[in-house]
Amino acid sequence: MAERSFAKEVRDLELGAGDEFRGEGILAITKALLQSGVGYVGGYQGAPISHLMDVLSDAKETLARLGVQFSASASEAAAAASLAASVMYPIRGAVTFKAPVGINVASDALANLTSGGVTGGALIIIGEDYGEGSSIMQERSHSFAMKSQMWLLDPRPNLESIVRAVEEGFELSEASNTPVMLEVRIRACHVHGSFIAKDNKPPAFTLRQALENPVRDTGRIVLPPASYAHEKHKVEQRWPAAVKFIKERKLNEIFNGDLTDIGVIVQGGMYNGAIRALERLGLADVWGATRVPIYCLNVTYPLVDDEIVDFCVGKKAVLIVEEGQPEHIEQAVNTILRRRDVNTRIHGKGDLPMAGEYTADVMLNGVRSFIAAALPGALADKIRAPNVPSIHDDPRVQALTTTVPPRPPGFCTGCPERPIFAAMKLVEQEMGNHHIAGDIGCHLFACLPPFNIGATTMGYGLGPASNAAFNVKTDKKSIAIMGDGGFWHNGLTSSIGNAVYNQHDGVVIIVDNFYSSATGGQDILSSRADVEDRSTQHPIANAVRGVGATWVRQIDRTYDVAKVRDTLKEALSTNTPGPKVIVASSECMLNKQRREKPIFSQAVKNGERKVRERFGVDEDVCTGDHACIRLSGCPSLSVKRTDDPLKDDPVAAIDNTCVACGNCGEVAEAAILCPSFYRADVILNPTGSDRFMARLRGAVIGFLQRRRARRRIAFA
Amino acid sequence: MTIAPAPPAFDATKPLAIAVMAMGGQGGGVLVDWIVALCESQNWVAQSTSVPGVAQRTGATVYFIETLPLPPNAPRGLRPVLSLMVVPGEVDLVIGAELMEAGRAIQRGFVTPDRTTLIASAHRHYAVAEKQVPGDGIADAGAVFAAAEAAAKRFIGFDMAVLAEKAGSVVSAVLFGALAASKVLPFPREAFEATITAGGIGVAPSLRAFALGYEHASADLSKDAAAGKSTATPAAEPSESPKSASGKTYPALTPVGHAGYDTLVERAKAAFPAATHDMIGAGLQRVVDYQDVAYGKEYLDLLAGMLALDNAHGGAGKGYQLTSTAAKYIAVAMAYDDVYRVADLKTRGSRFERVRTEVLAAPDQPVYMTEFMHPRMDEVAGSMPAALGRFIESRPRLFKALDRIVNRGRRVQTGTIRWFLPLYVLGGLRRFRRGTLRHSNEVAHRDTWLAAAKAAAPGDYALAVEILAARRLVKGYSDTHARGQSKFDKVMVGIAKVNGRPDAADWARRLREAALKDEDGIALSGALKTIDSFV
């Protein structure tokens, strides 16, 4: 069960010709796939494309009716490999994942696929996770397109353009027998807009037909001599075919302007930013009218030499707006113009920065410096040299730099991973620091305060593998953390199998929260839920033992901090050879709450007896040292100033968002902190016996309390 | 160069830009969806973007909306080219779902005096960086209000979290109400409410919260109109009642109708200067409540000694800092936290009531507390008669053996009779406290500390005050207490080193502040090193 339900969005997938689709970019892509007669879709979840996967897995009926096969792939490699169905058969297939990390994983399959080429349209939809909000290393997917000779679409970030790119992407792929990558940036994936829908199309040629009439052609297989032929075929046939298609179908766009001495060549995805920069310089308007001619690359690879030359010829200077590095397009354009002996001056990196996101102001400054150099007359004086006092300079605003605290992402309220790291911190306090390798997933938040646990992260499911070198005799074993998502992605083989085979004397903690949580709570092999048409409930511990691990401990309640601590201590001190694997399992609280809350409140409505739990802190017992917070960082465990004149520091306080996961109490107990934590059980719809006991206890306890209160001096 | 003489006629329309600053999981997305749906319902084009990913996991995140009316008789499918990123200096409305996030928007240049209306909830959701500090790490809300006054064209800011709670809804709904009241979007209130209703989720509470936000913001705005400037009301910190400037409430030093206590009050009033009465009132109540009237007398006796010293060294001219600082920290030192204290506090009727209200329990709903206690032999020995306690402490093997029995976490169900009784009895045993090992240790520690202050006073009044204030470092239980104790000792050693220098007091203050900065005392050792470098 994914984090979000897409019931409404699924209805939007059914829209017919002429209807207006309103919604998120990534859902528009999903609809576009169905309009293009796609035969199968696969992919691996991850921001910013998780919603594509989530909505398709909620859209069973629609897909069944159209005869579209959807698989939630085990990894990006698995997804890319599934495109093999389009090698010999005229079936359109699409896969999706976040990039460039997803392409890193998928590149083996993609390189093989591209070498042999495809018959049916093969589309790889990549969510380019770059800039603000990105959770990965800052690289470009462009390079993958170049090295394998795949084509790269980078449409303007509005729904019509993106939808068009999907439809034309399939055609381009078929016209050139080449897989096509469709790049969509984070914000474009989540942009809300609209487009006019078409009817969905069932696939022209079905998977069933393919299976019933299998075809093969050794010429398509990556084996010598075919592999040599493939390379030639790429540059002699497929590339020219692609260029021809792009030209004839005008995939790239020209926006004319009256300032014909200059021009801007822009990646489709950067178009809105460029227009806004021109608008701020008084050279464009909100409807896209521009005075500076623009050549918009909705296809960023391959480039169309003739179009580039036609655009540049006769211009003094042209600015290339290309985000990220290296500047592949700028280099290529310079080469093209050189070869055709066109002497237009090319601006790009220099006016615009080589690295980093092209935010509104970066874009403005880049475009301004280009025009100021190339056609100064085009800029009004005050725009050329703006000297408006910036509000930044106001001392009161300056003061904020020391005031506003950083707020990085962290564990949610009640997260079952928190107690694991609390326990690790306790072990650190006892046995000293260890080398701890992190992995990809929510658990990576442990490397931030208050836990500060984790030294490296080498990729999804590679945490334990990244400790492989530390396989030496020492009384301080290495520790590696890996999530259940990473484990099934490839951790079982690359990390566990690797450690077993090499007799790695280290500790592996597998954080099992029943979902691929960081990407939105998608189900995986070890999910506890009973998922229709998916096979789940395959315990991680069994898989680990299956590949030969012998020292395996299964912890079924991560909130038992003392148990986690002691198990880890045992793992660090045992002499058993090979990896020491601890599987720490408790359900992701975000998903648990989403599932149980409605049921709970319904039961309460129906008058059933229910116990609502919540933690609290006794203000007058707490002394405000905040050791509990340094072992938790839970959003619902905070501090508050007290009005007690004898207390200097704020005391701990728990708000009503507490889900009573128990971590506070367990930590206070395990770390021997202080007795100020309590759990309050509120009995809703109490039964007769509840009321009787409450009255009885109330009578006795109340009597004693009043008795002592009478003897105590009553202060007003 | 050739520039076309007549540039094409540009449409000067600018989109209305809205930035929403929120924390992941705070419901900022809902608010954005409302705004977009609202604009579209009024035949405006609206584009929203966000950068979810891991940011949605409690981190700070920014949503951005641009919207503008379609020109009359616009062809179907006509769409503007809108920005996917916040354009600093061109934002008409910034919504801060939490005060520091509003501050972040100002910092990033989203809020500018020429055009930005800033609507922010003044409530605080403290960041880990603020919470984890052993001392007081809470960021200064005042700074954000000052910056907002400087940067915003209009600033609407009040605690929307309390209103949301009142309405049983979320901050987003209150913000939406304030947005309606601000008139930045030129749509009637009904249109806003229709949007919420159309959303179909939690409609009734959302509408209640919306109304509260709308009315509060309207009230503020009319006030502003009158005042001719934008005003905003800082959030009342949760659980704060009307306070003195220091943000503390001092119990009055007055008789309460108990002969013993009242004589102490009379004595205090007569013997001590008015400037110290507030703190003495608080201290006296604490120690008497902690132990008994005799303990209160002990307290005043200790203070009397300090006052004599104070008078002797010009305390009158210094507002009797020495005495009032002593009044504070001697009370804290005397009312140390031990088993008896905890048992006493946990079993009080007033505490049972406070818990009920804190967890929002209805009158007919039974509430049971489970306390998480982890006594160690140290605490048990400390609670024993001094001689017996020492006897055990001086025998490590015996101590260990007993610790194995005692030292384990115990879940105490205070609401049940079989758990309440022993706790209650324990709380009653406090009358024997004076004879315990812990007490003699505490007294010894207290005396050396006070002696140090007294010794310093003649030569360096300010240093004496700082020595008293250093007691702030000793707090908490078991491990925490030990850590605080050792920090305190380190600070005292450092103070001894600088003693005699003209700037000794400053160094003492620096040492205390450093000790409160981090758990492992890194800042403190740094400060101590600095001292060693020049003494």
PDB file of all heavy atoms in Angstrom, chain A residues 667-691:
ATOM      1  N   VAL A 667      14.035   4.498  25.824  1.00  0.00           N
ATOM      2  CA  VAL A 667      15.347   5.148  25.871  1.00  0.00           C
ATOM      3  C   VAL A 667      15.648   5.614  27.293  1.00  0.00           C
ATOM      4  O   VAL A 667      16.714   5.351  27.831  1.00  0.00           O
ATOM      5  CB  VAL A 667      15.402   6.335  24.887  1.00  0.00           C
ATOM      6  CG1 VAL A 667      16.593   7.215  25.172  1.00  0.00           C
ATOM      7  CG2 VAL A 667      15.462   5.815  23.462  1.00  0.00           C
ATOM      8  N   ALA A 668      14.661   6.276  27.913  1.00  0.00           N
ATOM      9  CA  ALA A 668      14.866   6.755  29.283  1.00  0.00           C
ATOM     10  C   ALA A 668      15.290   5.595  30.168  1.00  0.00           C
ATOM     11  O   ALA A 668      16.164   5.718  31.021  1.00  0.00           O
ATOM     12  CB  ALA A 668      13.581   7.381  29.812  1.00  0.00           C
ATOM     13  N   GLU A 669      14.677   4.436  29.920  1.00  0.00           N
ATOM     14  CA  GLU A 669      14.950   3.240  30.708  1.00  0.00           C
ATOM     15  C   GLU A 669      16.331   2.688  30.380  1.00  0.00           C
ATOM     16  O   GLU A 669      17.165   2.492  31.252  1.00  0.00           O
ATOM     17  CB  GLU A 669      13.888   2.204  30.368  1.00  0.00           C
ATOM     18  CG  GLU A 669      13.670   1.126  31.377  1.00  0.00           C
ATOM     19  CD  GLU A 669      12.460   0.299  30.981  1.00  0.00           C
ATOM     20  OE1 GLU A 669      12.573  -0.462  30.003  1.00  0.00           O
ATOM     21  OE2 GLU A 669      11.411   0.456  31.604  1.00  0.00           O
ATOM     22  N   ALA A 670      16.596   2.501  29.091  1.00  0.00           N
ATOM     23  CA  ALA A 670      17.847   1.872  28.668  1.00  0.00           C
ATOM     24  C   ALA A 670      19.046   2.768  28.958  1.00  0.00           C
ATOM     25  O   ALA A 670      20.098   2.305  29.380  1.00  0.00           O
ATOM     26  CB  ALA A 670      17.784   1.526  27.186  1.00  0.00           C
ATOM     27  N   ALA A 671      18.877   4.062  28.734  1.00  0.00           N
ATOM     28  CA  ALA A 671      20.000   4.978  28.931  1.00  0.00           C
ATOM     29  C   ALA A 671      20.064   5.477  30.369  1.00  0.00           C
ATOM     30  O   ALA A 671      20.938   6.256  30.725  1.00  0.00           O
ATOM     31  CB  ALA A 671      19.869   6.164  27.986  1.00  0.00           C
ATOM     32  N   ILE A 672      19.119   4.988  31.214  1.00  0.00           N
ATOM     33  CA  ILE A 672      19.045   5.431  32.609  1.00  0.00           C
ATOM     34  C   ILE A 672      19.067   6.958  32.668  1.00  0.00           C
ATOM     35  O   ILE A 672      19.967   7.569  33.237  1.00  0.00           O
ATOM     36  CB  ILE A 672      20.201   4.847  33.453  1.00  0.00           C
ATOM     37  CG1 ILE A 672      20.427   3.387  33.069  1.00  0.00           C
ATOM     38  CG2 ILE A 672      19.898   4.965  34.927  1.00  0.00           C
ATOM     39  CD1 ILE A 672      21.529   2.725  33.858  1.00  0.00           C
ATOM     40  N   LEU A 673      18.082   7.563  31.988  1.00  0.00           N
ATOM     41  CA  LEU A 673      18.076   9.022  31.913  1.00  0.00           C
ATOM     42  C   LEU A 673      17.432   9.621  33.139  1.00  0.00           C
ATOM     43  O   LEU A 673      18.088  10.000  34.084  1.00  0.00           O
ATOM     44  CB  LEU A 673      17.328   9.468  30.649  1.00  0.00           C
ATOM     45  CG  LEU A 673      18.052   9.189  29.341  1.00  0.00           C
ATOM     46  CD1 LEU A 673      17.236   9.706  28.176  1.00  0.00           C
ATOM     47  CD2 LEU A 673      19.428   9.833  29.364  1.00  0.00           C
ATOM     48  N   CYS A 674      16.103   9.667  33.140  1.00  0.00           N
ATOM     49  CA  CYS A 674      15.430  10.255  34.288  1.00  0.00           C
ATOM     50  C   CYS A 674      14.008   9.742  34.298  1.00  0.00           C
ATOM     51  O   CYS A 674      13.501   9.254  33.308  1.00  0.00           O
ATOM     52  CB  CYS A 674      15.441  11.775  34.202  1.00  0.00           C
ATOM     53  SG  CYS A 674      14.219  12.425  33.064  1.00  0.00           S
ATOM     54  N   PRO A 675      13.349   9.841  35.458  1.00  0.00           N
ATOM     55  CA  PRO A 675      12.009   9.247  35.598  1.00  0.00           C
ATOM     56  C   PRO A 675      10.882  10.189  35.180  1.00  0.00           C
ATOM     57  O   PRO A 675       9.748   9.979  35.565  1.00  0.00           O
ATOM     58  CB  PRO A 675      11.937   8.946  37.092  1.00  0.00           C
ATOM     59  CG  PRO A 675      12.881   9.882  37.736  1.00  0.00           C
ATOM     60  CD  PRO A 675      13.830  10.401  36.704  1.00  0.00           C
ATOM     61  N   SER A 676      11.187  11.198  34.350  1.00  0.00           N
ATOM     62  CA  SER A 676      10.124  12.169  34.075  1.00  0.00           C
ATOM     63  C   SER A 676       9.173  11.713  32.975  1.00  0.00           C
ATOM     64  O   SER A 676       8.096  12.264  32.818  1.00  0.00           O
ATOM     65  CB  SER A 676      10.747  13.524  33.716  1.00  0.00           C
ATOM     66  OG  SER A 676      11.737  13.351  32.747  1.00  0.00           O
ATOM     67  N   PHE A 677       9.550  10.679  32.189  1.00  0.00           N
ATOM     68  CA  PHE A 677       8.649  10.204  31.134  1.00  0.00           C
ATOM     69  C   PHE A 677       7.542   9.329  31.698  1.00  0.00           C
ATOM     70  O   PHE A 677       7.757   8.552  32.619  1.00  0.00           O
ATOM     71  CB  PHE A 677       9.414   9.396  30.096  1.00  0.00           C
ATOM     72  CG  PHE A 677      10.150  10.248  29.117  1.00  0.00           C
ATOM     73  CD1 PHE A 677      11.509  10.471  29.263  1.00  0.00           C
ATOM     74  CD2 PHE A 677       9.491  10.847  28.068  1.00  0.00           C
ATOM     75  CE1 PHE A 677      12.193  11.275  28.368  1.00  0.00           C
ATOM     76  CE2 PHE A 677      10.164  11.649  27.163  1.00  0.00           C
ATOM     77  CZ  PHE A 677      11.518  11.866  27.310  1.00  0.00           C
ATOM     78  N   TYR A 678       6.360   9.501  31.156  1.00  0.00           N
ATOM     79  CA  TYR A 678       5.267   8.579  31.497  1.00  0.00           C
ATOM     80  C   TYR A 678       4.451   8.300  30.243  1.00  0.00           C
ATOM     81  O   TYR A 678       4.460   9.087  29.304  1.00  0.00           O
ATOM     82  CB  TYR A 678       4.367   9.179  32.580  1.00  0.00           C
ATOM     83  CG  TYR A 678       3.631  10.429  32.156  1.00  0.00           C
ATOM     84  CD1 TYR A 678       2.440  10.363  31.412  1.00  0.00           C
ATOM     85  CD2 TYR A 678       4.133  11.694  32.464  1.00  0.00           C
ATOM     86  CE1 TYR A 678       1.776  11.508  31.013  1.00  0.00           C
ATOM     87  CE2 TYR A 678       3.472  12.844  32.058  1.00  0.00           C
ATOM     88  CZ  TYR A 678       2.300  12.742  31.337  1.00  0.00           C
ATOM     89  OH  TYR A 678       1.651  13.880  30.930  1.00  0.00           O
ATOM     90  N   ARG A 679       3.812   7.142  30.232  1.00  0.00           N
ATOM     91  CA  ARG A 679       2.853   6.859  29.174  1.00  0.00           C
ATOM     92  C   ARG A 679       1.472   6.950  29.788  1.00  0.00           C
ATOM     93  O   ARG A 679       1.238   6.399  30.859  1.00  0.00           O
ATOM     94  CB  ARG A 679       3.049   5.464  28.589  1.00  0.00           C
ATOM     95  CG  ARG A 679       2.271   5.253  27.288  1.00  0.00           C
ATOM     96  CD  ARG A 679       2.300   3.808  26.817  1.00  0.00           C
ATOM     97  NE  ARG A 679       1.460   2.967  27.646  1.00  0.00           N
ATOM     98  CZ  ARG A 679       1.865   1.820  28.186  1.00  0.00           C
ATOM     99  NH1 ARG A 679       3.094   1.408  27.984  1.00  0.00           N
ATOM    100  NH2 ARG A 679       1.046   1.109  28.939  1.00  0.00           N
ATOM    101  N   ALA A 680       0.583   7.675  29.143  1.00  0.00           N
ATOM    102  CA  ALA A 680      -0.784   7.784  29.638  1.00  0.00           C
ATOM    103  C   ALA A 680      -1.695   6.962  28.731  1.00  0.00           C
ATOM    104  O   ALA A 680      -1.664   7.121  27.513  1.00  0.00           O
ATOM    105  CB  ALA A 680      -1.238   9.238  29.647  1.00  0.00           C
ATOM    106  N   ASP A 681      -2.438   6.034  29.340  1.00  0.00           N
ATOM    107  CA  ASP A 681      -3.414   5.250  28.577  1.00  0.00           C
ATOM    108  C   ASP A 681      -4.790   5.815  28.862  1.00  0.00           C
ATOM    109  O   ASP A 681      -5.256   5.776  30.004  1.00  0.00           O
ATOM    110  CB  ASP A 681      -3.370   3.775  29.003  1.00  0.00           C
ATOM    111  CG  ASP A 681      -1.986   3.173  28.806  1.00  0.00           C
ATOM    112  OD1 ASP A 681      -1.112   3.884  28.264  1.00  0.00           O
ATOM    113  OD2 ASP A 681      -1.774   2.014  29.205  1.00  0.00           O
ATOM    114  N   VAL A 682      -5.403   6.369  27.836  1.00  0.00           N
ATOM    115  CA  VAL A 682      -6.748   6.918  27.992  1.00  0.00           C
ATOM    116  C   VAL A 682      -7.736   5.881  27.478  1.00  0.00           C
ATOM    117  O   VAL A 682      -7.647   5.462  26.323  1.00  0.00           O
ATOM    118  CB  VAL A 682      -6.904   8.234  27.197  1.00  0.00           C
ATOM    119  CG1 VAL A 682      -8.266   8.845  27.452  1.00  0.00           C
ATOM    120  CG2 VAL A 682      -5.786   9.207  27.546  1.00  0.00           C
ATOM    121  N   ILE A 683      -8.624   5.449  28.343  1.00  0.00           N
ATOM    122  CA  ILE A 683      -9.595   4.424  27.937  1.00  0.00           C
ATOM    123  C   ILE A 683     -10.829   5.096  27.343  1.00  0.00           C
ATOM    124  O   ILE A 683     -11.549   5.822  28.034  1.00  0.00           O
ATOM    125  CB  ILE A 683     -10.006   3.533  29.133  1.00  0.00           C
ATOM    126  CG1 ILE A 683      -8.752   2.906  29.747  1.00  0.00           C
ATOM    127  CG2 ILE A 683     -11.005   2.467  28.698  1.00  0.00           C
ATOM    128  CD1 ILE A 683      -9.029   2.006  30.935  1.00  0.00           C
ATOM    129  N   LEU A 684     -11.027   4.898  26.044  1.00  0.00           N
ATOM    130  CA  LEU A 684     -12.193   5.473  25.359  1.00  0.00           C
ATOM    131  C   LEU A 684     -13.332   4.452  25.408  1.00  0.00           C
ATOM    132  O   LEU A 684     -13.095   3.244  25.341  1.00  0.00           O
ATOM    133  CB  LEU A 684     -11.830   5.797  23.915  1.00  0.00           C
ATOM    134  CG  LEU A 684     -10.540   6.616  23.732  1.00  0.00           C
ATOM    135  CD1 LEU A 684     -10.181   6.722  22.264  1.00  0.00           C
ATOM    136  CD2 LEU A 684     -10.685   7.993  24.353  1.00  0.00           C
ATOM    137  N   ASN A 685     -14.550   4.953  25.547  1.00  0.00           N
ATOM    138  CA  ASN A 685     -15.717   4.080  25.716  1.00  0.00           C
ATOM    139  C   ASN A 685     -15.456   3.013  26.776  1.00  0.00           C
ATOM    140  O   ASN A 685     -15.501   1.811  26.500  1.00  0.00           O
ATOM    141  CB  ASN A 685     -16.078   3.396  24.393  1.00  0.00           C
ATOM    142  CG  ASN A 685     -16.294   4.404  23.289  1.00  0.00           C
ATOM    143  OD1 ASN A 685     -16.879   5.462  23.522  1.00  0.00           O
ATOM    144  ND2 ASN A 685     -15.796   4.096  22.110  1.00  0.00           N
ATOM    145  N   PRO A 686     -15.136   3.444  28.011  1.00  0.00           N
ATOM    146  CA  PRO A 686     -14.832   2.465  29.059  1.00  0.00           C
ATOM    147  C   PRO A 686     -16.020   1.554  29.325  1.00  0.00           C
ATOM    148  O   PRO A 686     -17.175   1.971  29.215  1.00  0.00           O
ATOM    149  CB  PRO A 686     -14.544   3.355  30.272  1.00  0.00           C
ATOM    150  CG  PRO A 686     -15.221   4.648  29.996  1.00  0.00           C
ATOM    151  CD  PRO A 686     -15.153   4.827  28.512  1.00  0.00           C
ATOM    152  N   THR A 687     -15.712   0.282  29.670  1.00  0.00           N
ATOM    153  CA  THR A 687     -16.782  -0.679  29.988  1.00  0.00           C
ATOM    154  C   THR A 687     -17.195  -0.482  31.441  1.00  0.00           C
ATOM    155  O   THR A 687     -16.575   0.278  32.183  1.00  0.00           O
ATOM    156  CB  THR A 687     -16.258  -2.115  29.831  1.00  0.00           C
ATOM    157  OG1 THR A 687     -15.217  -2.301  30.803  1.00  0.00           O
ATOM    158  CG2 THR A 687     -15.694  -2.337  28.438  1.00  0.00           C
ATOM    159  N   GLY A 688     -18.207  -1.234  31.853  1.00  0.00           N
ATOM    160  CA  GLY A 688     -18.676  -1.130  33.235  1.00  0.00           C
ATOM    161  C   GLY A 688     -17.555  -1.430  34.207  1.00  0.00           C
ATOM    162  O   GLY A 688     -17.308  -0.688  35.159  1.00  0.00           O
ATOM    163  N   SER A 689     -16.802  -2.505  33.928  1.00  0.00           N
ATOM    164  CA  SER A 689     -15.746  -2.892  34.877  1.00  0.00           C
ATOM    165  C   SER A 689     -14.645  -1.836  34.880  1.00  0.00           C
ATOM    166  O   SER A 689     -14.062  -1.528  35.917  1.00  0.00           O
ATOM    167  CB  SER A 689     -15.172  -4.254  34.473  1.00  0.00           C
ATOM    168  OG  SER A 689     -14.645  -4.183  33.165  1.00  0.00           O
ATOM    169  N   ASP A 690     -14.378  -1.240  33.688  1.00  0.00           N
ATOM    170  CA  ASP A 690     -13.400  -0.144  33.657  1.00  0.00           C
ATOM    171  C   ASP A 690     -13.819   0.937  34.634  1.00  0.00           C
ATOM    172  O   ASP A 690     -13.044   1.367  35.488  1.00  0.00           O
ATOM    173  CB  ASP A 690     -13.326   0.474  32.247  1.00  0.00           C
ATOM    174  CG  ASP A 690     -12.549  -0.407  31.286  1.00  0.00           C
ATOM    175  OD1 ASP A 690     -11.581  -1.046  31.739  1.00  0.00           O
ATOM    176  OD2 ASP A 690     -12.926  -0.457  30.105  1.00  0.00           O
ATOM    177  N   ARG A 691     -15.118   1.327  34.530  1.00  0.00           N
ATOM    178  CA  ARG A 691     -15.593   2.413  35.381  1.00  0.00           C
ATOM    179  C   ARG A 691     -15.515   2.017  36.849  1.00  0.00           C
ATOM    180  O   ARG A 691     -15.079   2.780  37.696  1.00  0.00           O
ATOM    181  CB  ARG A 691     -17.028   2.783  35.001  1.00  0.00           C
ATOM    182  CG  ARG A 691     -17.121   3.523  33.678  1.00  0.00           C
ATOM    183  CD  ARG A 691     -18.408   4.347  33.567  1.00  0.00           C
ATOM    184  NE  ARG A 691     -18.795   4.450  32.161  1.00  0.00           N
ATOM    185  CZ  ARG A 691     -19.433   3.469  31.517  1.00  0.00           C
ATOM    186  NH1 ARG A 691     -19.772   2.358  32.158  1.00  0.00           N
ATOM    187  NH2 ARG A 691     -19.734   3.598  30.245  1.00  0.00           N
TER     188      ARG A 691
END
